[in-house]
């Protein structure tokens, strides 16, 4: 079972690696265009390298002007793979990255603020315990489960 999950784990790690950096995502997109353009140039012998790169960009962006289209089976399979990769992986990752930058919780505490709040709560608890010790009053334990304290 472990062997069966190895490939999906690697794929997941790769997607997370790409998704966490727009630079890496842009680099991966550029490499994908260069590889597919080069392969298109090999599979379709009557095209120039510039036309092959143009085809890769137009196909990857899913515009598909139709000015250049693959005629051979390997080029068509590569086109299907390129379109699927862009539509199912790259475009959603770009969209998710930009969406995550737009959604910002301004009410969220920073780590330093959380630590300060914890320190203040510890000080308040210490002062409360000191005050109750002077007044001979018992304070119910705040960590006790509901219904188990002496409030019944």
């Amino acid at each position: 079972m472990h062997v069966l999950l190895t490939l999906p784990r690697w794929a997941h790690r790769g997607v997370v690696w790409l998704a966490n950096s727009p630079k890496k995502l842009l680099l991966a997109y550029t490499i994908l265009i260069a590889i597919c353009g080069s392969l298109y140039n090999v599979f379709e012998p009557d095209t120039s390298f510039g036309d092959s790169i143009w085809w890769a960009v137009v196909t990857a962006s899913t515009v598909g002007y139709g000015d250049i289209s693959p005629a051979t089976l390997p080029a068509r399979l590569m086109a299907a793979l390129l379109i699927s990769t862009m539509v199912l992986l790259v475009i959603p990752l770009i969209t998710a990255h930009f969406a995550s930058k737009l959604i910002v919780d301004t009410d969220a505490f920073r780590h330093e603020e959380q630590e300060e709040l914890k320190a203040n709560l510890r000080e308040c608890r210490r002062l409360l315990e000191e005050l109750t010790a002077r007044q001979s009053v018992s304070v119910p334990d705040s960590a006790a489960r509901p219904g188990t304290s002496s409030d019944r």
Side-chain angles (χ1 to χ4, degrees):
M1 185 63 164
H2 177 70
V3 174
L4 293 174
L5 294 176
T6 302
L7 185 60
R9 284 184 185 138
W10 286 351
H12 178 263
R13 287 181 187 146
V15 169
V16 170
W17 179 78
L18 278 175
N20 287 330
S21 172
K23 291 178 184 177
K24 291 175 188 171
L25 193 56
L26 184 60
L27 178 65
Y29 171 77
T30 305
I31 291 170
L32 185 65
I33 294 297
I35 289 172
C36 288
S38 299
L39 287 174
Y40 187 84
N41 193 28
V42 170
F43 295 148
E44 298 290 328
D46 295 335
T47 58
S48 68
F49 185 73
D51 285 344
S52 298
I53 295 295
W54 172 250
W55 170 85
V57 169
V58 168
T59 302
S61 65
T62 68
V63 172
Y65 290 128
D67 55 346
I68 303 171
S69 60
T72 63
L73 181 62
R76 288 182 179 184
L77 291 174
M78 186 190 51
L81 184 64
L82 176 61
I83 292 169
S84 298
T85 302
M86 291 303 295
V87 169
L88 298 175
L89 184 68
V90 177
I91 293 172
L93 285 177
I94 292 169
T95 305
H97 178 76
F98 284 119
S100 71
K101 296 299 179 192
L102 293 174
I103 301 170
V104 177
D105 187 5
T106 57
D107 294 331
F109 290 108
R110 294 186 324 270
H111 178 71
E112 297 82 22
E113 292 172 323
Q114 291 175 356
E115 293 301 318
E116 182 182 350
L117 285 171
K118 285 195 261 181
N120 288 343
L121 284 173
R122 281 189 211 103
E123 180 65 17
C124 287
R125 179 69 179 185
R126 186 190 64 75
L127 291 172
L128 179 63
E129 288 171 354
E130 184 180 303
L131 181 63
T132 56
R134 283 187 203 160
Q135 300 293 326
S136 299
V137 177
S138 65
V139 177
D141 187 14
S142 62
R145 290 186 306 170
T148 58
S149 62
S150 60
D151 58 349
R152 288 184 176 199

